[in-house]
Amino acid sequence: MLEAFGLRMKMILGFGTRTRPRAFASGLLATLGLQSSTATALLTASFVDRQLIGSRMAQIVLLGANVGTALTAVLVSVQIDAVAPCLVLAGYVLRQRSQTIASGIGGALIGVGLMLVSLTLLEHATMPMRDSPLLAAFLPMLDNAWPVALLLAAGISVVCSSSLAAVLLIASVPLPPELTVVLVLGANLGGAVSPVLASAGLGVVARRVATGNLIVRGIGCLIALPLISPIVPQLVALPMDLTGLAVEAHLIFNIALAAAIWPLNRAVVSLVEHLLPGEAPATAARRNWLDDSLLDKPLLALSGASREVLAIGDAVERMLSQTRTAFRTDNSSPLAEVAELESQVDCRQQEVKNYLSRLTGNASEDERRRSIDILDYVINLEHIGDIVDKGLAAEVHKKIGLGLRFSDEGYQELERLFLVTQEVLRMAQTVFMTRDRDMARQLMELKVEIRNQERQSAQRHLIRLREGQAQSRETSSLHLDILRDLKRINSHAVSVAHPILDEQGLLVESRLRATRSAQSS
């Protein structure tokens, strides 16, 4: 699902967090699509790390993700194993398609089908265990040691990197009702540990998100443990013929936890900020990767130039991020950094061009081609920097200076395109570094989608003008100028995919249709 709808998933998380209900729904929907609250947590943490989502909204997103993974368990545990072969077959057929979306959906269908097959195999495999005298002797011991059972289930969840897998495993084994609920609580606790481990390499702001989710689930388990004995009889009385006690308890626990934590979200965020204080900003000097002593070694020289260009791309992405911050907050302070970064980008890209022009003549054909690709990309980055500084930043400054306000629809359209553009820049950096053909293809497909978004936004803006909306009339030229500049930025960023796809013979010379005379000849 990430392969097919990765950018759309990120848009759901990044754009759907302006209010708490929308943030909760975004986390729930993203997890239903990804079938993993851990994946949603990592995406959310990375967005917080890049200041695209606030910490408070991020915790609400994860509450929705927890409910989403519980709903996923309900869907998967329903007795639909008979459709597993159909899902795998359909997934295989779609996987052979060249389109990224079809291929990604195919992979997801294969995954779901194999999960259903595994549940059936797991049920058959555990049949001897159910009649085992050793299990009959072990379970009463575990039933009398709930903390041990809780930690055991948490460990299983961490090993599986998924509370969903742990809950389904628990549901497949015959256990006393109270012990089942204890193990489900442990699975939820362990499911919050995986994002903490996976986000260890991110900034402190991102780590707070995963840590906050762990604290929330830990508090929930501590509160729920003493209530198990009085609540379990009521849970057993529920109609659970299709899903079972473990899955139902998993869903009820996460819904109750979301309802309890929702009004206390501010306190949770404050607690996490106290436990994980902010880091001092780094003041390390810039490193120059252009080493003149390597000019007679083209491979090493090109590696250094590539790393320098990646640093330039990071600076350009920072320029766009600061411009978007100013756009969202109506504060022109971040724009001062944009002008400073633009002068650095101009200077550094000129250094790269001069450096590559001095490569010795013993470079191979592949190395000369790589040199041209690096030049093309750094020139496009410099164009993007110019567009951000002289176009977008100036337009945002005008919006702030004149106190202009877009209509709600217009603002959302521009905000969505800002977010997509930032993601395209990050993908372009990855494509430049890895030269991955599949991601290059995704970039090209995104270009078409972004062009359609820009055209649709312009059309909707004209409709609002015809309807006489005052805000749209006041911001008309500004709205269209920002749309144009964001579209241009995307075009320059996507161009990094051209040489990669051209080498594979996947590009055509022109998008023009053949004329009738040419067809007849």
Side-chain angles (χ1 to χ4, degrees), residues 379-403:
I379 290 171
N380 278 294
L381 287 176
E382 193 269 335
H383 288 329
I384 293 173
D386 285 341
I387 295 170
V388 174
D389 181 41
K390 299 178 177 58
L392 282 179
E395 290 149 8
V396 172
H397 193 278
K398 177 181 177 181
K399 167 186 179 290
I400 298 170
L402 298 179

mmCIF file with all atom_site columns, all heavy atoms in Angstrom, residues 379-403:
data_model
loop_
_atom_site.group_PDB
_atom_site.id
_atom_site.type_symbol
_atom_site.label_atom_id
_atom_site.label_alt_id
_atom_site.label_comp_id
_atom_site.label_asym_id
_atom_site.label_entity_id
_atom_site.label_seq_id
_atom_site.pdbx_PDB_ins_code
_atom_site.Cartn_x
_atom_site.Cartn_y
_atom_site.Cartn_z
_atom_site.occupancy
_atom_site.B_iso_or_equiv
_atom_site.pdbx_formal_charge
_atom_site.auth_seq_id
_atom_site.auth_comp_id
_atom_site.auth_asym_id
_atom_site.auth_atom_id
_atom_site.pdbx_PDB_model_num
ATOM 1   N N   . ILE A 1 379 ? 21.716 22.001 -11.548 1.00 0.00 ? 379 ILE A N   1
ATOM 2   C CA  . ILE A 1 379 ? 21.149 23.173 -12.238 1.00 0.00 ? 379 ILE A CA  1
ATOM 3   C C   . ILE A 1 379 ? 19.652 23.272 -11.950 1.00 0.00 ? 379 ILE A C   1
ATOM 4   O O   . ILE A 1 379 ? 19.122 24.375 -11.701 1.00 0.00 ? 379 ILE A O   1
ATOM 5   C CB  . ILE A 1 379 ? 21.419 23.077 -13.753 1.00 0.00 ? 379 ILE A CB  1
ATOM 6   C CG1 . ILE A 1 379 ? 22.909 23.292 -14.039 1.00 0.00 ? 379 ILE A CG1 1
ATOM 7   C CG2 . ILE A 1 379 ? 20.576 24.091 -14.521 1.00 0.00 ? 379 ILE A CG2 1
ATOM 8   C CD1 . ILE A 1 379 ? 23.313 23.017 -15.478 1.00 0.00 ? 379 ILE A CD1 1
ATOM 9   N N   . ASN A 1 380 ? 18.971 22.133 -11.952 1.00 0.00 ? 380 ASN A N   1
ATOM 10  C CA  . ASN A 1 380 ? 17.546 22.154 -11.617 1.00 0.00 ? 380 ASN A CA  1
ATOM 11  C C   . ASN A 1 380 ? 17.319 22.578 -10.175 1.00 0.00 ? 380 ASN A C   1
ATOM 12  O O   . ASN A 1 380 ? 16.358 23.296 -9.878  1.00 0.00 ? 380 ASN A O   1
ATOM 13  C CB  . ASN A 1 380 ? 16.936 20.773 -11.861 1.00 0.00 ? 380 ASN A CB  1
ATOM 14  C CG  . ASN A 1 380 ? 16.573 20.537 -13.312 1.00 0.00 ? 380 ASN A CG  1
ATOM 15  O OD1 . ASN A 1 380 ? 15.696 21.181 -13.859 1.00 0.00 ? 380 ASN A OD1 1
ATOM 16  N ND2 . ASN A 1 380 ? 17.272 19.613 -13.959 1.00 0.00 ? 380 ASN A ND2 1
ATOM 17  N N   . LEU A 1 381 ? 18.201 22.163 -9.269  1.00 0.00 ? 381 LEU A N   1
ATOM 18  C CA  . LEU A 1 381 ? 18.082 22.607 -7.875  1.00 0.00 ? 381 LEU A CA  1
ATOM 19  C C   . LEU A 1 381 ? 18.263 24.120 -7.772  1.00 0.00 ? 381 LEU A C   1
ATOM 20  O O   . LEU A 1 381 ? 17.556 24.790 -6.993  1.00 0.00 ? 381 LEU A O   1
ATOM 21  C CB  . LEU A 1 381 ? 19.114 21.897 -7.004  1.00 0.00 ? 381 LEU A CB  1
ATOM 22  C CG  . LEU A 1 381 ? 18.869 20.411 -6.699  1.00 0.00 ? 381 LEU A CG  1
ATOM 23  C CD1 . LEU A 1 381 ? 20.034 19.842 -5.895  1.00 0.00 ? 381 LEU A CD1 1
ATOM 24  C CD2 . LEU A 1 381 ? 17.562 20.224 -5.935  1.00 0.00 ? 381 LEU A CD2 1
ATOM 25  N N   . GLU A 1 382 ? 19.198 24.648 -8.532  1.00 0.00 ? 382 GLU A N   1
ATOM 26  C CA  . GLU A 1 382 ? 19.404 26.100 -8.507  1.00 0.00 ? 382 GLU A CA  1
ATOM 27  C C   . GLU A 1 382 ? 18.184 26.835 -9.038  1.00 0.00 ? 382 GLU A C   1
ATOM 28  O O   . GLU A 1 382 ? 17.793 27.876 -8.507  1.00 0.00 ? 382 GLU A O   1
ATOM 29  C CB  . GLU A 1 382 ? 20.649 26.430 -9.339  1.00 0.00 ? 382 GLU A CB  1
ATOM 30  C CG  . GLU A 1 382 ? 21.174 27.843 -9.146  1.00 0.00 ? 382 GLU A CG  1
ATOM 31  C CD  . GLU A 1 382 ? 20.559 28.815 -10.142 1.00 0.00 ? 382 GLU A CD  1
ATOM 32  O OE1 . GLU A 1 382 ? 20.139 28.354 -11.221 1.00 0.00 ? 382 GLU A OE1 1
ATOM 33  O OE2 . GLU A 1 382 ? 20.515 30.025 -9.843  1.00 0.00 ? 382 GLU A OE2 1
ATOM 34  N N   . HIS A 1 383 ? 17.547 26.288 -10.091 1.00 0.00 ? 383 HIS A N   1
ATOM 35  C CA  . HIS A 1 383 ? 16.308 26.889 -10.610 1.00 0.00 ? 383 HIS A CA  1
ATOM 36  C C   . HIS A 1 383 ? 15.213 26.840 -9.550  1.00 0.00 ? 383 HIS A C   1
ATOM 37  O O   . HIS A 1 383 ? 14.458 27.811 -9.379  1.00 0.00 ? 383 HIS A O   1
ATOM 38  C CB  . HIS A 1 383 ? 15.860 26.149 -11.870 1.00 0.00 ? 383 HIS A CB  1
ATOM 39  C CG  . HIS A 1 383 ? 16.725 26.412 -13.072 1.00 0.00 ? 383 HIS A CG  1
ATOM 40  N ND1 . HIS A 1 383 ? 17.378 27.600 -13.273 1.00 0.00 ? 383 HIS A ND1 1
ATOM 41  C CD2 . HIS A 1 383 ? 17.025 25.627 -14.150 1.00 0.00 ? 383 HIS A CD2 1
ATOM 42  C CE1 . HIS A 1 383 ? 18.048 27.551 -14.405 1.00 0.00 ? 383 HIS A CE1 1
ATOM 43  N NE2 . HIS A 1 383 ? 17.856 26.360 -14.961 1.00 0.00 ? 383 HIS A NE2 1
ATOM 44  N N   . ILE A 1 384 ? 15.111 25.711 -8.832  1.00 0.00 ? 384 ILE A N   1
ATOM 45  C CA  . ILE A 1 384 ? 14.096 25.599 -7.781  1.00 0.00 ? 384 ILE A CA  1
ATOM 46  C C   . ILE A 1 384 ? 14.345 26.657 -6.705  1.00 0.00 ? 384 ILE A C   1
ATOM 47  O O   . ILE A 1 384 ? 13.413 27.309 -6.221  1.00 0.00 ? 384 ILE A O   1
ATOM 48  C CB  . ILE A 1 384 ? 14.108 24.183 -7.171  1.00 0.00 ? 384 ILE A CB  1
ATOM 49  C CG1 . ILE A 1 384 ? 13.636 23.165 -8.207  1.00 0.00 ? 384 ILE A CG1 1
ATOM 50  C CG2 . ILE A 1 384 ? 13.218 24.123 -5.930  1.00 0.00 ? 384 ILE A CG2 1
ATOM 51  C CD1 . ILE A 1 384 ? 13.772 21.718 -7.743  1.00 0.00 ? 384 ILE A CD1 1
ATOM 52  N N   . GLY A 1 385 ? 15.628 26.829 -6.321  1.00 0.00 ? 385 GLY A N   1
ATOM 53  C CA  . GLY A 1 385 ? 15.945 27.850 -5.328  1.00 0.00 ? 385 GLY A CA  1
ATOM 54  C C   . GLY A 1 385 ? 15.530 29.236 -5.787  1.00 0.00 ? 385 GLY A C   1
ATOM 55  O O   . GLY A 1 385 ? 14.999 30.037 -4.995  1.00 0.00 ? 385 GLY A O   1
ATOM 56  N N   . ASP A 1 386 ? 15.765 29.549 -7.066  1.00 0.00 ? 386 ASP A N   1
ATOM 57  C CA  . ASP A 1 386 ? 15.352 30.844 -7.602  1.00 0.00 ? 386 ASP A CA  1
ATOM 58  C C   . ASP A 1 386 ? 13.829 31.003 -7.542  1.00 0.00 ? 386 ASP A C   1
ATOM 59  O O   . ASP A 1 386 ? 13.322 32.082 -7.191  1.00 0.00 ? 386 ASP A O   1
ATOM 60  C CB  . ASP A 1 386 ? 15.828 30.989 -9.046  1.00 0.00 ? 386 ASP A CB  1
ATOM 61  C CG  . ASP A 1 386 ? 17.318 31.262 -9.132  1.00 0.00 ? 386 ASP A CG  1
ATOM 62  O OD1 . ASP A 1 386 ? 17.908 31.683 -8.117  1.00 0.00 ? 386 ASP A OD1 1
ATOM 63  O OD2 . ASP A 1 386 ? 17.899 31.035 -10.212 1.00 0.00 ? 386 ASP A OD2 1
ATOM 64  N N   . ILE A 1 387 ? 13.106 29.939 -7.893  1.00 0.00 ? 387 ILE A N   1
ATOM 65  C CA  . ILE A 1 387 ? 11.645 30.012 -7.884  1.00 0.00 ? 387 ILE A CA  1
ATOM 66  C C   . ILE A 1 387 ? 11.128 30.231 -6.464  1.00 0.00 ? 387 ILE A C   1
ATOM 67  O O   . ILE A 1 387 ? 10.219 31.039 -6.235  1.00 0.00 ? 387 ILE A O   1
ATOM 68  C CB  . ILE A 1 387 ? 11.039 28.737 -8.500  1.00 0.00 ? 387 ILE A CB  1
ATOM 69  C CG1 . ILE A 1 387 ? 11.409 28.622 -9.973  1.00 0.00 ? 387 ILE A CG1 1
ATOM 70  C CG2 . ILE A 1 387 ? 9.515  28.734 -8.339  1.00 0.00 ? 387 ILE A CG2 1
ATOM 71  C CD1 . ILE A 1 387 ? 11.057 27.284 -10.597 1.00 0.00 ? 387 ILE A CD1 1
ATOM 72  N N   . VAL A 1 388 ? 11.726 29.517 -5.508  1.00 0.00 ? 388 VAL A N   1
ATOM 73  C CA  . VAL A 1 388 ? 11.283 29.671 -4.118  1.00 0.00 ? 388 VAL A CA  1
ATOM 74  C C   . VAL A 1 388 ? 11.568 31.079 -3.621  1.00 0.00 ? 388 VAL A C   1
ATOM 75  O O   . VAL A 1 388 ? 10.703 31.731 -3.016  1.00 0.00 ? 388 VAL A O   1
ATOM 76  C CB  . VAL A 1 388 ? 11.967 28.624 -3.216  1.00 0.00 ? 388 VAL A CB  1
ATOM 77  C CG1 . VAL A 1 388 ? 11.624 28.885 -1.749  1.00 0.00 ? 388 VAL A CG1 1
ATOM 78  C CG2 . VAL A 1 388 ? 11.540 27.217 -3.601  1.00 0.00 ? 388 VAL A CG2 1
ATOM 79  N N   . ASP A 1 389 ? 12.792 31.564 -3.871  1.00 0.00 ? 389 ASP A N   1
ATOM 80  C CA  . ASP A 1 389 ? 13.191 32.864 -3.327  1.00 0.00 ? 389 ASP A CA  1
ATOM 81  C C   . ASP A 1 389 ? 12.498 34.023 -4.026  1.00 0.00 ? 389 ASP A C   1
ATOM 82  O O   . ASP A 1 389 ? 11.906 34.891 -3.377  1.00 0.00 ? 389 ASP A O   1
ATOM 83  C CB  . ASP A 1 389 ? 14.707 33.001 -3.450  1.00 0.00 ? 389 ASP A CB  1
ATOM 84  C CG  . ASP A 1 389 ? 15.224 34.325 -2.891  1.00 0.00 ? 389 ASP A CG  1
ATOM 85  O OD1 . ASP A 1 389 ? 14.729 34.740 -1.823  1.00 0.00 ? 389 ASP A OD1 1
ATOM 86  O OD2 . ASP A 1 389 ? 16.106 34.937 -3.514  1.00 0.00 ? 389 ASP A OD2 1
ATOM 87  N N   . LYS A 1 390 ? 12.552 34.041 -5.355  1.00 0.00 ? 390 LYS A N   1
ATOM 88  C CA  . LYS A 1 390 ? 12.038 35.190 -6.101  1.00 0.00 ? 390 LYS A CA  1
ATOM 89  C C   . LYS A 1 390 ? 10.547 35.065 -6.420  1.00 0.00 ? 390 LYS A C   1
ATOM 90  O O   . LYS A 1 390 ? 9.901  36.062 -6.749  1.00 0.00 ? 390 LYS A O   1
ATOM 91  C CB  . LYS A 1 390 ? 12.828 35.371 -7.402  1.00 0.00 ? 390 LYS A CB  1
ATOM 92  C CG  . LYS A 1 390 ? 14.310 35.633 -7.174  1.00 0.00 ? 390 LYS A CG  1
ATOM 93  C CD  . LYS A 1 390 ? 15.064 35.749 -8.480  1.00 0.00 ? 390 LYS A CD  1
ATOM 94  C CE  . LYS A 1 390 ? 16.529 36.089 -8.258  1.00 0.00 ? 390 LYS A CE  1
ATOM 95  N NZ  . LYS A 1 390 ? 17.230 35.103 -7.418  1.00 0.00 ? 390 LYS A NZ  1
ATOM 96  N N   . GLY A 1 391 ? 10.007 33.829 -6.355  1.00 0.00 ? 391 GLY A N   1
ATOM 97  C CA  . GLY A 1 391 ? 8.593  33.635 -6.636  1.00 0.00 ? 391 GLY A CA  1
ATOM 98  C C   . GLY A 1 391 ? 7.783  33.379 -5.389  1.00 0.00 ? 391 GLY A C   1
ATOM 99  O O   . GLY A 1 391 ? 7.094  34.269 -4.886  1.00 0.00 ? 391 GLY A O   1
ATOM 100 N N   . LEU A 1 392 ? 7.873  32.177 -4.845  1.00 0.00 ? 392 LEU A N   1
ATOM 101 C CA  . LEU A 1 392 ? 7.022  31.791 -3.718  1.00 0.00 ? 392 LEU A CA  1
ATOM 102 C C   . LEU A 1 392 ? 7.221  32.677 -2.501  1.00 0.00 ? 392 LEU A C   1
ATOM 103 O O   . LEU A 1 392 ? 6.248  33.135 -1.893  1.00 0.00 ? 392 LEU A O   1
ATOM 104 C CB  . LEU A 1 392 ? 7.303  30.334 -3.336  1.00 0.00 ? 392 LEU A CB  1
ATOM 105 C CG  . LEU A 1 392 ? 6.686  29.248 -4.209  1.00 0.00 ? 392 LEU A CG  1
ATOM 106 C CD1 . LEU A 1 392 ? 7.103  27.881 -3.693  1.00 0.00 ? 392 LEU A CD1 1
ATOM 107 C CD2 . LEU A 1 392 ? 5.170  29.363 -4.222  1.00 0.00 ? 392 LEU A CD2 1
ATOM 108 N N   . ALA A 1 393 ? 8.477  32.895 -2.115  1.00 0.00 ? 393 ALA A N   1
ATOM 109 C CA  . ALA A 1 393 ? 8.726  33.697 -0.919  1.00 0.00 ? 393 ALA A CA  1
ATOM 110 C C   . ALA A 1 393 ? 8.193  35.115 -1.086  1.00 0.00 ? 393 ALA A C   1
ATOM 111 O O   . ALA A 1 393 ? 7.606  35.688 -0.164  1.00 0.00 ? 393 ALA A O   1
ATOM 112 C CB  . ALA A 1 393 ? 10.224 33.721 -0.601  1.00 0.00 ? 393 ALA A CB  1
ATOM 113 N N   . ALA A 1 394 ? 8.396  35.676 -2.272  1.00 0.00 ? 394 ALA A N   1
ATOM 114 C CA  . ALA A 1 394 ? 7.881  37.026 -2.523  1.00 0.00 ? 394 ALA A CA  1
ATOM 115 C C   . ALA A 1 394 ? 6.352  37.049 -2.474  1.00 0.00 ? 394 ALA A C   1
ATOM 116 O O   . ALA A 1 394 ? 5.743  37.993 -1.947  1.00 0.00 ? 394 ALA A O   1
ATOM 117 C CB  . ALA A 1 394 ? 8.390  37.519 -3.879  1.00 0.00 ? 394 ALA A CB  1
ATOM 118 N N   . GLU A 1 395 ? 5.738  36.013 -3.013  1.00 0.00 ? 395 GLU A N   1
ATOM 119 C CA  . GLU A 1 395 ? 4.264  35.954 -2.999  1.00 0.00 ? 395 GLU A CA  1
ATOM 120 C C   . GLU A 1 395 ? 3.719  35.774 -1.582  1.00 0.00 ? 395 GLU A C   1
ATOM 121 O O   . GLU A 1 395 ? 2.714  36.402 -1.206  1.00 0.00 ? 395 GLU A O   1
ATOM 122 C CB  . GLU A 1 395 ? 3.809  34.818 -3.904  1.00 0.00 ? 395 GLU A CB  1
ATOM 123 C CG  . GLU A 1 395 ? 4.048  35.090 -5.388  1.00 0.00 ? 395 GLU A CG  1
ATOM 124 C CD  . GLU A 1 395 ? 4.332  33.831 -6.204  1.00 0.00 ? 395 GLU A CD  1
ATOM 125 O OE1 . GLU A 1 395 ? 4.195  32.726 -5.654  1.00 0.00 ? 395 GLU A OE1 1
ATOM 126 O OE2 . GLU A 1 395 ? 4.706  33.962 -7.381  1.00 0.00 ? 395 GLU A OE2 1
ATOM 127 N N   . VAL A 1 396 ? 4.389  34.934 -0.787  1.00 0.00 ? 396 VAL A N   1
ATOM 128 C CA  . VAL A 1 396 ? 3.952  34.752 0.602   1.00 0.00 ? 396 VAL A CA  1
ATOM 129 C C   . VAL A 1 396 ? 4.168  36.042 1.392   1.00 0.00 ? 396 VAL A C   1
ATOM 130 O O   . VAL A 1 396 ? 3.339  36.421 2.226   1.00 0.00 ? 396 VAL A O   1
ATOM 131 C CB  . VAL A 1 396 ? 4.715  33.579 1.244   1.00 0.00 ? 396 VAL A CB  1
ATOM 132 C CG1 . VAL A 1 396 ? 4.431  33.500 2.741   1.00 0.00 ? 396 VAL A CG1 1
ATOM 133 C CG2 . VAL A 1 396 ? 4.321  32.268 0.578   1.00 0.00 ? 396 VAL A CG2 1
ATOM 134 N N   . HIS A 1 397 ? 5.279  36.729 1.134   1.00 0.00 ? 397 HIS A N   1
ATOM 135 C CA  . HIS A 1 397 ? 5.535  38.012 1.808   1.00 0.00 ? 397 HIS A CA  1
ATOM 136 C C   . HIS A 1 397 ? 4.453  39.022 1.455   1.00 0.00 ? 397 HIS A C   1
ATOM 137 O O   . HIS A 1 397 ? 4.004  39.802 2.314   1.00 0.00 ? 397 HIS A O   1
ATOM 138 C CB  . HIS A 1 397 ? 6.915  38.534 1.407   1.00 0.00 ? 397 HIS A CB  1
ATOM 139 C CG  . HIS A 1 397 ? 7.414  39.660 2.265   1.00 0.00 ? 397 HIS A CG  1
ATOM 140 N ND1 . HIS A 1 397 ? 7.032  40.966 2.082   1.00 0.00 ? 397 HIS A ND1 1
ATOM 141 C CD2 . HIS A 1 397 ? 8.238  39.656 3.349   1.00 0.00 ? 397 HIS A CD2 1
ATOM 142 C CE1 . HIS A 1 397 ? 7.607  41.742 2.983   1.00 0.00 ? 397 HIS A CE1 1
ATOM 143 N NE2 . HIS A 1 397 ? 8.348  40.976 3.770   1.00 0.00 ? 397 HIS A NE2 1
ATOM 144 N N   . LYS A 1 398 ? 4.027  39.025 0.213   1.00 0.00 ? 398 LYS A N   1
ATOM 145 C CA  . LYS A 1 398 ? 2.953  39.932 -0.204  1.00 0.00 ? 398 LYS A CA  1
ATOM 146 C C   . LYS A 1 398 ? 1.651  39.584 0.510   1.00 0.00 ? 398 LYS A C   1
ATOM 147 O O   . LYS A 1 398 ? 0.935  40.485 0.974   1.00 0.00 ? 398 LYS A O   1
ATOM 148 C CB  . LYS A 1 398 ? 2.768  39.833 -1.722  1.00 0.00 ? 398 LYS A CB  1
ATOM 149 C CG  . LYS A 1 398 ? 1.628  40.671 -2.272  1.00 0.00 ? 398 LYS A CG  1
ATOM 150 C CD  . LYS A 1 398 ? 1.512  40.496 -3.783  1.00 0.00 ? 398 LYS A CD  1
ATOM 151 C CE  . LYS A 1 398 ? 0.325  41.282 -4.333  1.00 0.00 ? 398 LYS A CE  1
ATOM 152 N NZ  . LYS A 1 398 ? 0.184  41.097 -5.800  1.00 0.00 ? 398 LYS A NZ  1
ATOM 153 N N   . LYS A 1 399 ? 1.353  38.304 0.612   1.00 0.00 ? 399 LYS A N   1
ATOM 154 C CA  . LYS A 1 399 ? 0.141  37.860 1.311   1.00 0.00 ? 399 LYS A CA  1
ATOM 155 C C   . LYS A 1 399 ? 0.145  38.344 2.756   1.00 0.00 ? 399 LYS A C   1
ATOM 156 O O   . LYS A 1 399 ? -0.865 38.875 3.269   1.00 0.00 ? 399 LYS A O   1
ATOM 157 C CB  . LYS A 1 399 ? 0.055  36.338 1.273   1.00 0.00 ? 399 LYS A CB  1
ATOM 158 C CG  . LYS A 1 399 ? -0.989 35.720 2.221   1.00 0.00 ? 399 LYS A CG  1
ATOM 159 C CD  . LYS A 1 399 ? -0.885 34.210 2.212   1.00 0.00 ? 399 LYS A CD  1
ATOM 160 C CE  . LYS A 1 399 ? -1.894 33.562 3.163   1.00 0.00 ? 399 LYS A CE  1
ATOM 161 N NZ  . LYS A 1 399 ? -1.558 33.793 4.574   1.00 0.00 ? 399 LYS A NZ  1
ATOM 162 N N   . ILE A 1 400 ? 1.307  38.200 3.424   1.00 0.00 ? 400 ILE A N   1
ATOM 163 C CA  . ILE A 1 400 ? 1.394  38.600 4.830   1.00 0.00 ? 400 ILE A CA  1
ATOM 164 C C   . ILE A 1 400 ? 1.357  40.116 4.960   1.00 0.00 ? 400 ILE A C   1
ATOM 165 O O   . ILE A 1 400 ? 0.644  40.666 5.821   1.00 0.00 ? 400 ILE A O   1
ATOM 166 C CB  . ILE A 1 400 ? 2.681  38.027 5.450   1.00 0.00 ? 400 ILE A CB  1
ATOM 167 C CG1 . ILE A 1 400 ? 2.657  36.496 5.421   1.00 0.00 ? 400 ILE A CG1 1
ATOM 168 C CG2 . ILE A 1 400 ? 2.863  38.526 6.883   1.00 0.00 ? 400 ILE A CG2 1
ATOM 169 C CD1 . ILE A 1 400 ? 3.978  35.851 5.800   1.00 0.00 ? 400 ILE A CD1 1
ATOM 170 N N   . GLY A 1 401 ? 2.104  40.814 4.106   1.00 0.00 ? 401 GLY A N   1
ATOM 171 C CA  . GLY A 1 401 ? 2.177  42.264 4.202   1.00 0.00 ? 401 GLY A CA  1
ATOM 172 C C   . GLY A 1 401 ? 0.842  42.951 3.969   1.00 0.00 ? 401 GLY A C   1
ATOM 173 O O   . GLY A 1 401 ? 0.518  43.946 4.639   1.00 0.00 ? 401 GLY A O   1
ATOM 174 N N   . LEU A 1 402 ? 0.061  42.441 3.025   1.00 0.00 ? 402 LEU A N   1
ATOM 175 C CA  . LEU A 1 402 ? -1.239 43.057 2.710   1.00 0.00 ? 402 LEU A CA  1
ATOM 176 C C   . LEU A 1 402 ? -2.372 42.481 3.542   1.00 0.00 ? 402 LEU A C   1
ATOM 177 O O   . LEU A 1 402 ? -3.517 42.930 3.406   1.00 0.00 ? 402 LEU A O   1
ATOM 178 C CB  . LEU A 1 402 ? -1.546 42.874 1.215   1.00 0.00 ? 402 LEU A CB  1
ATOM 179 C CG  . LEU A 1 402 ? -0.571 43.541 0.237   1.00 0.00 ? 402 LEU A CG  1
ATOM 180 C CD1 . LEU A 1 402 ? -0.981 43.250 -1.195  1.00 0.00 ? 402 LEU A CD1 1
ATOM 181 C CD2 . LEU A 1 402 ? -0.509 45.051 0.489   1.00 0.00 ? 402 LEU A CD2 1
ATOM 182 N N   . GLY A 1 403 ? -2.067 41.486 4.381   1.00 0.00 ? 403 GLY A N   1
ATOM 183 C CA  . GLY A 1 403 ? -3.108 40.887 5.213   1.00 0.00 ? 403 GLY A CA  1
ATOM 184 C C   . GLY A 1 403 ? -4.165 40.149 4.410   1.00 0.00 ? 403 GLY A C   1
ATOM 185 O O   . GLY A 1 403 ? -5.339 40.126 4.805   1.00 0.00 ? 403 GLY A O   1
#
